[in-house]
Amino acid sequence: MLKINNATKSFAGIVAVDNCSFAIKQGTISALIGPNGAGKTTLFNCISRIYPIDSGQIFYKNHRLDLMPAHKIARLGIGRSFQITRTLDQLSVTENLALHTAGGIGSHLFHPGITTENRLKACEVMEFLGISTLADVDMGTLSFGQKKLLDLGTVLMADPDLILLDEPAAGINLRLLEDIINKLVTLKNQGKTILLIEHNMDLVMGISDEVIVMSAGIIIAQGKPSEIQKNAKVLEAYLGSKA
Ligand SMILES: Nc1ncnc2c1ncn2[C@@H]1O[C@H](COP(=O)(O)OP(=O)(O)OP(=O)(O)O)[C@@H](O)[C@H]1O
Ligand SMILES: [Mg+2]
């Protein structure tokens, strides 16, 4: 469903994504893991076309994403969250969700009219996440963990087939982590495809069909969680010396 062929992206001398290739299948959960600075977020930014790649190709179904503007990518059914939560704190939870349609929050700032359709979709998403009681609460009063859950909600507003999540569980407590894991598994069972960047190994190893490991811009391993856990190259990348 998503296929990355020899993608490379450099920033002034730093090769953040170095000749990366991998593919993920429809209806699966895949995790992209690796030490800090490995290039994971940059790779997401290349897939969602925030950055153009220097060389290589990125395919989604039969589309070339690397040749497409970012707003068209969202319309193809690809949704993503960001490592740093982005919200409009003075607006309600419903309004924050309703403003996140396929075009992204920025494109709606100058057209603040929220349609009934958007509100209904926001209600559906809140119900799915089990947070309907927060509908009229100001975003600014939510806890960090609730905002992380809303991050997933904003992605779901556009009903994407492919969901890219950048550290959905970073800094949240155990109960909310279980909530998020359950939601991700439900989405997979609904036929969605999920690619997530995550440092929480319990989450990664518990729900992923495939794990892709990146270190210093290079994909060093891809396989099932059980294979990745005993892969010598992976252990070496995490421990920083030969294991
Ligand atoms: N816009 C940019 N300009 C210059 N360098 C960048 C830019 N974005 C990322 N980099 C560099 O690319 C490398 C990879 O960064 P990236 O954020 O992709 O890592 P990451 O794997 O997501 O790390 P983390 O787990 O800490 O989020 C780093 O060396 C980073 O400093
Ligand atoms: Mg990152």
Side-chain angles (χ1 to χ4, degrees):
M1 179 187 222
L2 178 72
K3 194 160 187 276
I4 302 188
N5 280 349
N6 306 108
T8 294
K9 175 71 195 170
S10 303
F11 300 105
I14 299 167
V15 187
V17 173
D18 191 354
N19 202 27
C20 285
S21 299
F22 65 88
I24 61 169
K25 293 198 191 91
Q26 184 151 7
T28 59
I29 298 181
S30 304
L32 179 60
I33 67 167
N36 293 116
K40 306 178 298 295
T41 298
T42 303
L43 190 53
F44 264 29
N45 287 336
C46 294
I47 297 169
S48 49
R49 199 57 173 74
I50 288 173
Y51 301 140
I53 48 176
D54 302 332
S55 58
Q57 299 105 30
I58 302 177
F59 293 93
Y60 173 68
K61 296 178 178 168
N62 50 356
H63 303 277
R64 273 284 294 275
L65 295 187
D66 54 297
L67 300 177
M68 212 174 261
H71 68 274
K72 284 205 176 156
I73 290 177
R75 277 190 220 137
L76 284 181
I78 300 177
R80 74 164 287 187
S81 74
F82 289 85
Q83 191 166 355
I84 297 160
T85 307
R86 307 195 302 182
T87 55
L88 295 173
D89 281 350
Q90 69 281 19
L91 298 183
S92 73
V93 169
T94 306
E95 287 162 335
N96 265 274
L97 282 172
L99 285 169
H100 272 87
T101 49
I105 199 160
S107 64
H108 287 269
L109 284 179
F110 302 106
H111 308 281
I114 297 172
T115 65
T116 309
E117 193 187 339
N118 290 340
R119 264 184 203 280
L120 288 174
K121 184 69 192 169
C123 289
E124 185 190 317
V125 167
M126 286 183 284
E127 197 166 325
F128 173 75
L129 295 175
I131 52 166
S132 298
T133 51
L134 298 178
D136 298 322
V137 169
D138 277 357
M139 197 73 192
T141 65
L142 297 193
S143 71
F144 177 79
Q146 287 170 320
K147 282 189 177 176
K148 288 297 280 186
L149 196 59
L150 253 301
D151 255 357
L152 175 60
T154 56
V155 176
L156 297 179
M157 280 299 290
D159 246 333
D161 289 328
L162 174 63
I163 301 172
L164 307 173
L165 301 172
D166 198 345
E167 302 197 21
I172 65 168
N173 68 38
L174 206 61
R175 201 192 58 75
L176 203 55
L177 178 66
E178 282 169 10
D179 257 16
I180 289 193
I181 290 176
N182 289 336
K183 301 305 171 202
L184 296 181
V185 171
T186 306
L187 288 167
K188 173 185 149 166
N189 292 339
Q190 290 173 357
K192 309 277 188 196
T193 308
I194 299 171
L195 175 61
L196 57 104
I197 296 173
E198 190 47 64
H199 287 289
N200 184 316
M201 286 304 135
D202 289 339
L203 188 158
V204 167
M205 298 303 171
I207 66 167
S208 305
D209 299 295
E210 285 276 314
V211 180
I212 300 146
V213 190
M214 204 172 176
S215 176
I218 297 168
I219 305 288
I220 59 165
Q222 176 170 12
K224 299 200 178 330
S226 56
E227 295 161 2
I228 293 300
Q229 273 167 317
K230 51 184 188 230
N231 183 306
K233 266 195 202 167
V234 175
L235 295 174
E236 192 186 318
Y238 272 94
L239 299 174
S241 62
K242 293 223 179 278

Short mmCIF file of all heavy atoms in Angstrom, two decimals, residues 11 14 16 34-43 51 83 167 199, ligand 1:
data_model
loop_
_atom_site.label_atom_id
_atom_site.label_comp_id
_atom_site.label_asym_id
_atom_site.label_seq_id
_atom_site.Cartn_x
_atom_site.Cartn_y
_atom_site.Cartn_z
N PHE A 11 19.90 17.56 4.88
CA PHE A 11 19.85 18.96 5.30
C PHE A 11 21.28 19.44 5.46
O PHE A 11 21.98 18.92 6.33
CB PHE A 11 19.17 19.11 6.67
CG PHE A 11 17.75 18.62 6.71
CD1 PHE A 11 17.45 17.41 7.33
CD2 PHE A 11 16.72 19.37 6.16
CE1 PHE A 11 16.14 16.96 7.39
CE2 PHE A 11 15.41 18.92 6.22
CZ PHE A 11 15.13 17.72 6.84
N ILE A 14 23.76 16.99 6.59
CA ILE A 14 23.27 15.84 7.38
C ILE A 14 22.36 15.00 6.48
O ILE A 14 21.37 15.52 5.95
CB ILE A 14 22.44 16.30 8.59
CG1 ILE A 14 23.29 17.15 9.53
CG2 ILE A 14 21.83 15.10 9.35
CD1 ILE A 14 22.46 17.89 10.57
N ALA A 16 19.62 12.91 6.63
CA ALA A 16 18.63 12.50 7.64
C ALA A 16 17.95 11.20 7.25
O ALA A 16 17.64 10.37 8.10
CB ALA A 16 17.60 13.61 7.84
N GLY A 34 13.63 3.64 16.28
CA GLY A 34 15.04 3.96 16.15
C GLY A 34 15.43 5.03 17.15
O GLY A 34 14.56 5.75 17.65
N PRO A 35 16.72 5.16 17.44
CA PRO A 35 17.17 6.14 18.43
C PRO A 35 16.82 7.57 18.03
O PRO A 35 16.50 7.83 16.88
CB PRO A 35 18.69 5.94 18.44
CG PRO A 35 18.95 4.64 17.78
CD PRO A 35 17.81 4.38 16.86
N ASN A 36 16.90 8.50 18.97
CA ASN A 36 16.66 9.92 18.69
C ASN A 36 17.56 10.37 17.56
O ASN A 36 18.74 10.03 17.52
CB ASN A 36 16.95 10.79 19.92
CG ASN A 36 15.96 10.53 21.05
OD1 ASN A 36 16.34 10.07 22.13
ND2 ASN A 36 14.71 10.82 20.81
N GLY A 37 16.98 11.14 16.63
CA GLY A 37 17.76 11.67 15.52
C GLY A 37 17.98 10.69 14.38
O GLY A 37 18.71 10.98 13.43
N ALA A 38 17.31 9.54 14.45
CA ALA A 38 17.50 8.50 13.41
C ALA A 38 16.97 8.93 12.05
O ALA A 38 17.41 8.41 11.03
CB ALA A 38 16.82 7.21 13.85
N GLY A 39 15.99 9.86 12.05
CA GLY A 39 15.42 10.31 10.78
C GLY A 39 13.97 9.91 10.60
O GLY A 39 13.39 10.08 9.53
N LYS A 40 13.34 9.42 11.68
CA LYS A 40 11.96 8.91 11.59
C LYS A 40 10.97 10.01 11.21
O LYS A 40 10.17 9.86 10.29
CB LYS A 40 11.57 8.27 12.94
CG LYS A 40 12.54 7.19 13.42
CD LYS A 40 12.14 6.62 14.78
CE LYS A 40 12.13 7.61 15.94
NZ LYS A 40 13.46 8.16 16.29
N THR A 41 11.01 11.12 11.95
CA THR A 41 10.08 12.23 11.66
C THR A 41 10.35 12.80 10.27
O THR A 41 9.41 13.13 9.53
CB THR A 41 10.19 13.32 12.74
OG1 THR A 41 9.81 12.76 13.99
CG2 THR A 41 9.29 14.51 12.44
N THR A 42 11.61 12.89 9.90
CA THR A 42 11.95 13.40 8.56
C THR A 42 11.33 12.50 7.49
O THR A 42 10.78 12.99 6.51
CB THR A 42 13.48 13.47 8.39
OG1 THR A 42 14.01 14.29 9.43
CG2 THR A 42 13.86 14.07 7.04
N LEU A 43 11.38 11.20 7.71
CA LEU A 43 10.78 10.27 6.75
C LEU A 43 9.26 10.51 6.65
O LEU A 43 8.70 10.54 5.55
CB LEU A 43 11.09 8.83 7.15
CG LEU A 43 10.75 7.73 6.15
CD1 LEU A 43 11.37 8.01 4.79
CD2 LEU A 43 11.25 6.38 6.66
N TYR A 51 8.53 17.92 3.17
CA TYR A 51 9.81 18.11 2.50
C TYR A 51 9.81 17.32 1.20
O TYR A 51 9.33 16.19 1.18
CB TYR A 51 10.97 17.56 3.33
CG TYR A 51 11.15 18.15 4.69
CD1 TYR A 51 11.49 17.33 5.76
CD2 TYR A 51 11.02 19.51 4.91
CE1 TYR A 51 11.67 17.85 7.03
CE2 TYR A 51 11.20 20.03 6.18
CZ TYR A 51 11.52 19.20 7.24
OH TYR A 51 11.71 19.70 8.48
N GLN A 83 4.61 15.22 15.99
CA GLN A 83 5.29 14.88 17.25
C GLN A 83 4.95 15.93 18.33
O GLN A 83 4.78 15.59 19.49
CB GLN A 83 6.80 14.84 16.99
CG GLN A 83 7.62 14.25 18.12
CD GLN A 83 9.05 13.92 17.68
OE1 GLN A 83 9.40 14.02 16.51
NE2 GLN A 83 9.87 13.53 18.63
N GLU A 167 4.75 9.39 17.42
CA GLU A 167 4.82 9.23 18.88
C GLU A 167 3.47 9.49 19.57
O GLU A 167 3.36 10.36 20.43
CB GLU A 167 5.93 10.12 19.46
CG GLU A 167 7.28 9.79 18.85
CD GLU A 167 8.46 10.33 19.66
OE1 GLU A 167 8.29 10.61 20.86
OE2 GLU A 167 9.55 10.45 19.08
N HIS A 199 8.54 5.31 20.72
CA HIS A 199 9.67 4.87 21.55
C HIS A 199 9.22 3.87 22.61
O HIS A 199 10.05 3.19 23.21
CB HIS A 199 10.34 6.07 22.24
CG HIS A 199 11.15 6.94 21.30
ND1 HIS A 199 12.33 6.51 20.76
CD2 HIS A 199 10.93 8.17 20.80
CE1 HIS A 199 12.83 7.47 19.97
NE2 HIS A 199 11.98 8.49 19.97
N1 LIG B 1 14.39 20.97 9.07
C1 LIG B 1 15.59 20.47 9.39
N2 LIG B 1 16.74 21.15 9.16
C2 LIG B 1 17.93 20.63 9.46
N3 LIG B 1 18.13 19.43 10.03
C3 LIG B 1 17.03 18.70 10.30
C4 LIG B 1 15.70 19.17 10.00
N4 LIG B 1 14.81 18.21 10.38
C5 LIG B 1 15.54 17.19 10.89
N5 LIG B 1 16.88 17.49 10.84
C6 LIG B 1 17.97 16.60 11.27
O1 LIG B 1 17.76 15.33 10.70
C7 LIG B 1 18.10 14.30 11.63
C8 LIG B 1 16.91 13.39 11.86
O2 LIG B 1 15.93 14.09 12.62
P1 LIG B 1 14.47 13.51 12.90
O3 LIG B 1 13.71 14.58 13.60
O4 LIG B 1 13.93 12.99 11.65
O5 LIG B 1 14.79 12.31 13.90
P2 LIG B 1 13.81 11.35 14.70
O6 LIG B 1 14.21 9.97 14.37
O7 LIG B 1 12.40 11.74 14.46
O8 LIG B 1 14.22 11.64 16.21
P3 LIG B 1 13.34 11.69 17.59
O9 LIG B 1 13.15 10.26 18.01
O10 LIG B 1 14.22 12.42 18.53
O11 LIG B 1 12.07 12.41 17.29
C9 LIG B 1 18.61 15.02 12.88
O12 LIG B 1 20.02 15.09 12.80
C10 LIG B 1 17.98 16.37 12.77
O13 LIG B 1 18.74 17.33 13.43
#
